[in-house]
Amino acid sequence: MLASLELSGTPFQLGQALGRFGAEAANTYLVNSEAWETVMAWRGTDVAAQMQLLTAQHFPRTLDELRGLAEGLQLPFDDVFLWNCRGDVWAMPPDGCTTVLLPSANGPRITHNEDGDPGFAGFCGIGMFRPDEGPAFASFLYPASIPGHTFAVTQNGLAMTVNNLRSRQVSAGLPRMVITRALLEQRTLEEAVTLLENTPRAGGFHLSMAQRGRADLLSIEFNAQAVSVLQVQQPALHANHAIHPAMQSLPQVITESSRHRQERGDALLNTDDIDPMAILADQSDRPFPIYRNAADDSDNENTMATADIHIEEDHIRWRVYEKPGQAPLLNMVDGQPV
């Protein structure tokens, strides 16, 4: 089951609350994991110091949130900051995801499998944030991580889902999770794109973005080298590797799971009756399913939750499921449960 929690206050207080929420999983599982050990190899490096300096310069509130997170976790700040840079310094963190994007004149629909480390099963949640500064929002949460790199809906009417891109090149830029946290504070799609284009970037993500009251549906891929923005005109699927023409030549890792999920998803979209929830529940490719719950998953990832987000004229209506096909765990309108 997913926890549901309400958070408010200063950036440091928000981070403290996030830390207390994730402390058990972080201290019993995360710090003993191979993923943690791999990322902590970057302790004390120039790249880590530069990413922290850039965060202080560009997004000091997020740095305060990370300081609060470390306080709540009772872990060293530098280690917690570095963990939130995991995809910037390492191409293979256990972060994946699959997203179906359906454009419509009546409002787009974004349906998303949130795939992450199976060690966090039972320790994730949905946070309803009311910061002292910036808009309210709701976001899926992992222990020991700031919000914004999963799926979220904001008071300004932005909906965003995030897929991992496994960039091979490590660059001293802003951590990708810091950038996507900042996107939750933007007022429009245009502001979000401008932020991406005008900040020095370290790692890469794919974003699906839409805004209440608009038909626009954006597929965005970014990494240290480039930002690619496409208006989605036809049903599409993204399975956590770069597929935009402008991005495919840049160095990345494409796992067999990522490749197979993309191929299977594209085939399922090539039908007259597209059902995003059925696509995200598909396990017909046994070694590399779209819905992932195997203990021996090839990327060490499992589906933690599925979000089905309908962007309408006046509201964003969305549901969160533990598994497609089951009853929803949460029914949401904008950033609040109903």
Side-chain angles (χ1 to χ4, degrees):
M1 292 291 291
L2 294 175
S4 178
L5 59 159
E6 297 184 2
L7 308 95
S8 61
T10 66
F12 189 86
Q13 289 169 336
L14 293 175
Q16 275 185 314
L18 283 174
R20 290 191 291 268
F21 160 73
E24 180 182 355
N27 286 283
T28 60
Y29 167 70
L30 177 59
V31 298
N32 300 307
S33 68
E34 182 180 354
W36 180 269
E37 181 182 5
T38 301
V39 174
M40 291 307 120
W42 289 83
R43 282 187 182 118
T45 62
D46 290 343
V47 168
Q50 184 68 13
M51 287 194 291
Q52 197 171 131
L53 178 62
L54 285 168
T55 302
Q57 291 172 345
H58 289 262
F59 302 113
R61 290 205 302 270
T62 302
L63 194 65
D64 284 345
E65 193 168 288
L66 284 158
R67 293 190 188 282
L69 179 62
E71 174 76 17
L73 293 167
Q74 297 188 317
L75 292 171
F77 165 70
D78 287 346
D79 289 2
V80 172
F81 181 86
L82 194 53
W83 178 246
N84 281 263
C85 303
R86 56 190 178 271
D88 305 285
V89 300
W90 181 33
M92 293 301 295
D95 302 309
C97 307
T98 307
T99 308
V100 179
L101 301 91
L102 291 184
S104 170
N106 298 321
R109 179 180 179 186
I110 304 172
T111 313
H112 175 84
N113 273 0
E114 180 59 41
D115 297 345
D117 189 332
F120 287 142
F123 293 100
C124 298
I126 302 293
M128 276 70 78
F129 289 76
R130 292 192 174 277
D132 287 352
E133 299 178 76
F137 63 90
S139 174
F140 183 90
L141 301 174
Y142 283 106
S145 293
I146 56 176
H149 67 107
T150 54
F151 57 82
V153 171
T154 78
Q155 181 183 8
N156 288 331
L158 291 177
M160 180 175 78
T161 68
V162 185
N163 294 350
N164 187 25
L165 297 183
R166 303 187 187 278
S167 299
R168 286 187 178 274
Q169 183 172 336
V170 177
S171 301
L174 279 160
R176 62 184 192 169
M177 288 171 58
V178 169
I179 293 173
T180 50
R181 173 66 181 89
L183 291 179
L184 299 182
E185 300 188 356
Q186 305 311 297
R187 293 173 297 178
T188 65
L189 294 173
E190 289 78 11
E191 284 188 3
V193 171
T194 297
L195 185 148
L196 287 169
E197 292 175 338
N198 292 345
T199 53
R201 302 169 303 275
F205 273 140
H206 171 266
L207 312 175
S208 303
M209 295 194 75
Q211 186 161 20
R212 181 178 58 220
R214 297 176 57 172
D216 305 85
L217 177 55
L218 302 185
S219 172
I220 305 170
E221 292 180 348
F222 73 88
N223 60 18
Q225 293 79 38
V227 177
S228 174
V229 182
L230 298 180
Q231 282 271 3
V232 179
Q233 306 290 348
Q234 302 293 331
L237 181 137
H238 197 282
N240 87 270
H241 62 270
I243 58 175
H244 290 193
M247 303 292 285
Q248 291 185 50
S249 62
L250 299 174
Q252 66 171 324
V253 175
I254 305 174
T255 68
E256 285 302 300
S257 170
S258 183
R259 189 189 310 277
H260 279 248
R261 282 181 284 121
Q262 187 70 51
E263 292 173 353
R264 176 60 179 160
D266 287 343
L268 291 171
L269 286 177
N270 191 27
T271 63
D272 294 331
D273 186 19
I274 296 172
D275 182 349
M277 295 294 286
I279 292 172
L280 293 183
D282 186 80
Q283 293 185 304
S284 58
D285 186 335
R286 289 292 180 182
F288 306 108
I290 294 176
Y291 179 80
R292 308 159 76 184
N293 60 355
D296 61 348
D297 180 83
S298 60
D299 288 349
N300 190 34
E301 296 163 13
N302 279 183
T303 303
M304 299 292 168
T306 298
D308 189 22
I309 306 171
H310 297 254
I311 296 90
E312 301 176 359
E313 181 65 30
D314 298 318
H315 299 287
I316 297 177
R317 302 183 187 275
W318 50 300
R319 292 178 173 179
V320 180
Y321 300 80
E322 187 170 13
K323 181 180 180 180
Q326 297 181 348
L329 297 174
L330 283 172
N331 289 282
M332 306 282 290
V333 174
D334 298 325
Q336 294 295 317
V338 293

